[in-house]
Amino acid sequence: MARADANGRRGTVPAVLVCVLLAGLVIGLVLVSRGGQAVSATSLVASYEMNEGSGSSVMIDSGPHGLDGSVGSDVVTGVDFAGATAYRWPFISSPTAPPAKPGRIVNVPTSPYLNPDDGDFAIEFRYRTVRSFGNIVQKGQNASIGGYFKFEQPNGFMTCLFKDIDGAQSAVTSNVATNDGQWHVIRCELRPDGARLSIDGGRWQVSTPKNLGSISNTRPLSIGGKTDCNQINITCDYFDGDIDYVRFEKSTTTPTTTSPSTSTTTAPTTTTTTTTTTTTTTTTTTTTTTIPEGPVQIDGPATVDARPTRGKTITIPVP
């Protein structure tokens, strides 16, 4: 790399400076994921704006993958409140009282785009409630193979939890209650050192540092409570309130290490005259033989000690 000085002369940028610049560029582009992989920043994989009109049975994904969901018969769509169009989960006296009410659930079929896997992951939603209970969003449950994640609000304080394939967990709970009936934006991210939570764009609250493993299950995404429950030995933890939107972001991962390889390159030799260009091709003849025990003489200059290769077939160049 050359540059001109004040007198117009051109010089060379020191190699050390070039290395520093390149290193800074790499650091600026690469992050470290939970699985020891290089990741890019998270990008949108699903977006449920919940703007469908009254009586809709389909929740539309306006994200890049078209991961539409089904709206339970008890969920009210097309609800207008304080400038937003939302879904409403009607009043329920108890989130755990029998019988189970599957009509209160919005389900999205399982998709790898909705699993955190080994990379960074983020969920953001806008909601309002006056109740102090209920699961808002989750994919999988505590016994799900492959791990799971969920949002719940015990006593009105939002908690997001991630559990990996080996049972390790990372969870963070808000230090402010959000069950005051006003709209609140909840964002939770799973990072290399664990989960972190933000309320209404405020300061991040972080979990105890923990690097989780992969989280990937085949369960549907459920909004408004659990899918696999009976209100007897597994409670459904139904939500009661409004949700304006739910969005998911995920990182793209690539391995940080590759298998070592050895490559040998021989530079071609070219002879050029003013009149002709001659190309010479050399062909190597080989012979294949099964080697007996002990040193043997093959036609040509090669003498092979067959003890390390006895009983094997080898190919030897013959001039």
Side-chain angles (χ1 to χ4, degrees):
M1 182 184 297
R3 59 181 178 181
D5 61 14
N7 297 318
R9 294 187 297 268
R10 300 182 68 82
T12 301
V13 177
V16 172
L17 178 57
V18 174
C19 291
V20 170
L21 292 174
L22 290 176
L25 177 62
V26 171
I27 291 172
L29 293 177
V30 178
L31 303 173
V32 177
S33 79
R34 295 177 290 113
Q37 296 177 313
V39 303
S40 65
T42 56
S43 58
L44 186 72
V45 293
S47 180
Y48 303 102
E49 298 306 308
M50 297 182 167
N51 292 329
E52 293 80 23
S54 176
S56 176
S57 61
V58 178
M59 181 176 68
I60 303 298
D61 173 23
S62 58
H65 306 296
L67 307 176
D68 295 348
S70 59
V71 181
S73 58
D74 294 339
V75 179
V76 182
T77 60
V79 175
D80 294 324
F81 183 87
T85 301
Y87 287 10
R88 174 162 294 169
W89 281 257
F91 172 82
I92 186 171
S93 59
S94 169
T96 58
K101 299 176 176 64
R104 294 187 66 91
I105 304 299
V106 175
N107 275 323
V108 178
T110 187
S111 166
Y113 292 112
L114 300 176
N115 285 325
D117 295 319
D118 290 323
D120 291 356
F121 195 72
I123 308 102
E124 180 178 305
F125 60 90
R126 187 171 186 248
Y127 91 125
R128 58 180 292 273
T129 187
V130 295
R131 309 307 292 273
S132 59
F133 53 74
N135 291 8
I136 293 85
V137 181
Q138 64 190 87
K139 188 174 189 299
Q141 296 174 204
N142 187 51
S144 296
I145 297 173
Y148 80 113
F149 63 82
K150 72 173 178 179
F151 286 79
E152 60 183 350
Q153 52 161 15
N155 301 313
F157 292 83
M158 186 61 62
T159 296
C160 70
L161 177 147
F162 295 89
K163 180 180 178 181
D164 72 12
I165 191 171
D166 296 318
Q169 295 185 175
S170 180
V172 57
T173 300
S174 172
N175 55 17
V176 295
T178 51
N179 61 339
D180 57 2
Q182 303 302 309
W183 287 117
H184 293 285
V185 175
I186 311 297
R187 183 178 177 88
C188 187
E189 299 179 351
L190 183 58
R191 310 282 291 180
D193 56 353
R196 66 178 189 173
L197 176 69
S198 174
I199 307 296
D200 296 326
R203 188 173 182 177
W204 289 106
Q205 300 165 62
V206 299
S207 65
T208 301
K210 181 174 292 187
N211 192 333
L212 298 185
S214 178
I215 302 174
S216 179
N217 65 54
T218 58
R219 305 307 303 152
L221 173 74
S222 61
I223 303 174
K226 297 175 185 174
T227 300
D228 300 319
C229 60
N230 54 20
Q231 296 288 60
I232 299 173
N233 57 351
I234 300 177
T235 59
C236 298
D237 299 322
Y238 292 127
F239 171 66
D240 175 339
D242 299 345
I243 300 179
D244 181 26
Y245 67 79
V246 182
R247 298 167 185 157
F248 296 84
E249 300 171 20
K250 186 175 180 178
S251 63
T252 303
T253 61
T254 55
T256 55
T257 59
T258 57
S259 300
S261 60
T262 302
S263 177
T264 303
T265 302
T266 303
T269 301
T270 304
T271 302
T272 305
T273 68
T274 57
T275 58
T276 61
T277 299
T278 301
T279 302
T280 301
T281 303
T282 301
T283 302
T284 300
T285 303
T286 63
T287 183
T288 301
T289 185
T290 301
I291 304 300
E293 189 171 345
V296 294
Q297 178 73 38
I298 304 297
D299 290 341
T303 299
V304 178
D305 185 348
R307 284 170 293 183
T309 57
R310 58 178 177 266
K312 299 181 179 179
T313 298
I314 64 172
T315 301
I316 300 173
V318 177

